Amino acid sequence: QVQLVESGGGLVQAGDSLTLSCAASGRAFSTNAMGWFRQAPGKDREFVAAITRNGGYTYTADSLKGRFTISRDNAKNTVYLRMNSLQPEDTAVYYCAANGVYDLTRFSTTQGYWGQGTQVTVSS
């Protein structure tokens, strides 16, 4: 099994930046990609971004490109989400996820592992 633990969430002001971290542990031979989802109050889960195991390829939701950047450090077994120019609409619980896809465009529809989530709140 794979365990994912998110951290780095908090309360920030509009325009601020924040970096989330997701530490992975356990068996990972079948995990080729990791990424992030978010769920705002009263809304469905939304795909944010994904990255391949070696960090060479990324795929980010169109609405978030230019503001959100995903990266990973395999030596630390950690994936990151850098969020810039945060807005109140970005307020959500952010979840780390991992699965075995090779095509990152399919990451959001492929079952895998999930973390417990970390809350990001952006005040206006």
Side-chain angles (χ1 to χ4, degrees):
Q1 63 178 349
V2 176
Q3 295 81 44
L4 305 172
V5 180
E6 303 96 331
S7 63
L11 195 160
V12 298
Q13 295 180 331
D16 285 352
S17 296
L18 194 65
T19 298
L20 305 181
S21 299
C22 173
S25 62
R27 190 181 299 274
F29 66 90
S30 63
T31 300
N32 297 308
M34 296 181 66
W36 295 88
F37 294 83
R38 67 183 186 182
Q39 187 165 19
K43 297 185 178 181
D44 293 333
R45 186 194 68 175
E46 176 187 16
F47 170 73
V48 174
I51 188 168
T52 54
R53 184 179 181 183
N54 65 3
Y57 300 92
T58 63
Y59 179 63
T60 305
D62 289 341
S63 63
L64 301 177
K65 288 181 178 178
R67 288 201 302 123
F68 286 20
T69 303
I70 189 170
S71 62
R72 69 188 299 169
D73 185 343
N74 285 344
K76 298 180 179 179
N77 296 316
T78 301
V79 64
Y80 305 94
L81 181 68
R82 177 65 174 177
M83 305 181 292
N84 294 325
S85 189
L86 285 164
Q87 302 299 313
E89 293 74 25
D90 296 315
T91 295
V93 177
Y94 284 72
Y95 296 93
C96 181
N99 59 43
V101 302
Y102 290 90
D103 181 356
L104 294 183
T105 64
R106 300 181 178 180
F107 184 85
S108 64
T109 57
T110 301
Q111 295 297 310
Y113 302 93
W114 293 84
Q116 82 289 347
T118 185
Q119 176 71 46
V120 174
T121 302
V122 185
S123 63
S124 59

